[in-house]
């Protein structure tokens, strides 16, 4: 038991005097006089946590308790206690900031009934910024080919027009196309022209243009503000992709990532809770709170 026995002057054996009880109280008190992280009430009072005595936890002014990850809280009133529990916060309880796109952490959690007197600040971690939308860009390359086809045009590369000039068909490398485009390639007439008297058809060089489409990723969002962590800015994405959203300050949701030309940006992470397990808490509030409750 790391707490102070509030009845330390009351003898546990031998002669007892009524004066021994003056200024004493039934219970234990633990006072945070310096900063700490990821605190559980049960670890403060040891085996006496389960003893039916009142217990007090006090955070002094100027002292900060913080959570180092979103799976932890600055202070948790965990199960297994007996007797009343009162927490008086004169300092600061800070949740962890959310990673990119993730929710911020909680500052205070109650798993059993307790009283919370807040004279200081209880602040949930800010949400991380959302990922930017995906981008896309295209690049093209062209090549020209012409083979003087024999009668029947087998295997040649050419563009054939009938004698009056209407489009007939294209072959490229022996493959027949009845359209000027196919998949990611398109065809156009080259500059060279030849008239094939055998078939009464004009033959042209063929220019083939191949267009390649490349997808790019959106930028990562910034981290949210939390214990020992500042809010971060989003990172730029690839070509035509969106920049990641900014991480949020304590108690706020992260910004949505910017849209790319292929997909929209993703929403930022939600703010954490300044109290989780609020149904167990009797709150006296005269300080500052940031975030939600759950």
């Amino acid at each position: 038991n790391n707490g102070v026995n509030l009845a330390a002057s009351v003898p546990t054996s031998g002669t007892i005097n009524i004066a021994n009880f003056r200024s004493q109280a039934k219970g234990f008190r633990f006072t945070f006089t310096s900063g700490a992280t990821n605190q559980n009430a049960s670890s403060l009072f040891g085996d006496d946590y389960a003893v039916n005595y009142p217990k007090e936890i006090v955070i002094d002014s100027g002292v900060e308790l913080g959570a180092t990850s979103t799976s932890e809280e600055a202070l948790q009133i965990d199960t297994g206690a007996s007797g009343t529990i009162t927490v008086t916060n004169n300092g600061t309880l800070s949740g962890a900031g959310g990673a990119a796109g993730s929710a911020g952490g909680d500052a205070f959690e109650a798993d059993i009934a307790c009283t919370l007197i807040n004279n200081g600040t209880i602040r949930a971690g800010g949400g991380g910024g959302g990922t930017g939308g995906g981008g896309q860009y295209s690049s093209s390359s062209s090549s020209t080919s012409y083979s003087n086809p024999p009668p029947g045009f087998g295997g040649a590369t050419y563009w054939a027009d009938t004698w009056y000039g209407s489009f007939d068909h294209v072959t490229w490398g022996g493959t027949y196309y009845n359209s000027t485009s196919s998949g990611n390639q398109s065809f156009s007439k080259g500059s060279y022209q030849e008239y094939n008297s055998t078939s009464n058809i004009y033959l042209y060089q063929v220019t083939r243009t191949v267009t390649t489409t490349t997808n790019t990723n959106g930028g990562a969002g910034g981290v949210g503000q939390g214990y020992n962590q500042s809010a971060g800015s989003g990172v730029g994405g690839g070509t035509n992709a969106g920049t990641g959203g900014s991480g949020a300050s304590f108690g706020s949701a992260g910004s949505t990532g910017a849209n790319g030309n292929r997909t929209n940006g993703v929403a930022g992470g939600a703010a954490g809770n300044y109290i989780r397990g609020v149904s167990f808490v009797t709150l006296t509030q005269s300080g500052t709170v940031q975030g939600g409750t759950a």
Side-chain angles (χ1 to χ4, degrees):
N1 187 345
N2 295 309
V4 174
N5 184 352
L6 300 180
S9 295
V10 179
T12 58
S13 63
T15 303
I16 195 168
N17 189 302
I18 201 71
N20 297 139
F21 292 89
R22 184 173 291 118
S23 300
Q24 301 298 290
K26 180 181 178 180
F28 300 98
R29 177 187 297 135
F30 185 93
T31 301
F32 286 97
T33 58
S34 60
T37 57
N38 309 332
Q39 295 296 297
N40 294 322
S42 61
S43 66
L44 305 180
F45 299 105
D47 292 342
D48 289 329
Y49 194 59
V51 176
N52 188 14
Y53 274 69
K55 299 165 189 72
E56 299 176 16
I57 300 172
V58 178
I59 300 99
D60 278 351
S61 177
V63 172
E64 182 177 12
L65 304 187
T68 58
S69 75
T70 55
S71 62
E72 298 281 356
E73 297 76 33
L75 177 62
Q76 179 180 3
I77 310 302
D78 44 346
T79 58
S82 183
T84 61
I85 299 178
T86 301
V87 178
T88 302
N89 175 42
N90 300 312
T92 302
L93 301 177
S94 300
S102 298
D106 303 328
F108 179 85
E109 179 174 346
D111 301 322
I112 55 174
C114 64
T115 296
L116 174 59
I117 302 168
N118 181 39
N119 304 316
T121 298
I122 306 176
R123 53 190 188 179
T131 303
Q136 187 177 82
Y137 68 92
S138 298
S139 58
S140 299
S141 61
S142 298
S143 57
T144 300
S145 180
Y146 174 79
S147 299
N148 188 17
F153 313 134
T157 296
Y158 58 89
W159 175 306
D161 275 359
T162 61
W163 66 270
Y164 51 85
S166 62
F167 171 71
D168 187 12
H169 65 271
V170 173
T171 65
W172 180 273
T175 302
Y176 173 85
Y177 299 96
N178 62 0
S179 174
T180 56
S181 62
S182 177
N184 67 334
Q185 59 184 349
S186 61
F187 304 98
S188 60
K189 292 180 181 180
S191 60
Y192 183 79
Q193 171 186 319
E194 179 180 322
Y195 177 69
N196 187 294
S197 58
T198 302
S199 300
N200 196 33
I201 289 178
Y202 286 94
L203 305 173
Y204 296 86
Q205 286 178 316
V206 179
T207 298
R208 181 179 71 157
T209 301
V210 178
T211 301
T212 301
T213 300
T214 302
N215 292 335
T216 59
N217 295 324
V223 298
Q225 186 179 18
Y227 175 72
N228 276 352
Q229 177 172 287
S230 300
S233 300
V235 177
T239 302
N240 294 329
T243 300
S246 297
S249 57
F250 281 111
S252 300
S255 299
T256 300
N259 294 339
N261 69 346
R262 179 170 57 89
T263 62
N264 292 335
V266 178
N273 299 292
Y274 71 88
I275 294 178
R276 176 170 290 279
V278 68
S279 61
F280 290 114
V281 178
T282 300
L283 176 63
T284 299
Q285 165 60 7
S286 59
T288 300
V289 294
Q290 295 171 277
T293 60

